[in-house]
Amino acid sequence: MSYYLDKDFKAEYLEIPASVRSEEYYVKMMVAWFFATALAKQWDQAIPYIEQCSLAPWTHNKTIQKAIESYRITPE
């Protein structure tokens, strides 16, 4: 995730995990962790995926849960 979300970040990288649809627990969790980290590191590009409900419902909810639990997102 560091490679894709830090200095070499490109907004189109978010499309790759956002397009994944799977019922496998660990695949869904990977997408959720990716977006939770993206919210912490690339807020402006990642937040539209949450606001527009672009992720599968379970993944959307887990992303929000993990972002909150990480304490890297301010309450504001």
Side-chain angles (χ1 to χ4, degrees):
M1 284 193 285
S2 294
Y3 177 79
Y4 294 107
L5 294 173
D6 287 330
K7 69 177 186 163
D8 294 322
F9 174 77
K10 292 183 176 85
E12 57 264 21
Y13 291 161
L14 298 173
E15 282 297 317
I16 299 166
S19 68
V20 173
R21 293 294 184 262
S22 175
E23 291 304 312
E24 297 293 328
Y25 173 81
Y26 289 106
V27 173
K28 295 189 297 187
M29 188 60 85
M30 178 277 305
V31 175
W33 271 114
F34 182 88
F35 273 95
T37 304
L39 287 169
K41 294 183 174 202
Q42 302 292 339
W43 175 268
D44 291 335
Q45 288 78 27
I47 194 62
Y49 288 86
I50 301 302
E51 293 174 337
Q52 298 168 8
C53 298
S54 299
L55 306 173
W58 186 94
T59 306
H60 174 94
N61 293 336
K62 190 59 75 173
T63 296
I64 294 169
Q65 176 189 343
K66 293 301 177 188
I68 291 168
E69 290 174 353
S70 76
Y71 297 106
R72 295 187 292 176
I73 309 287
T74 64
E76 294 82 30

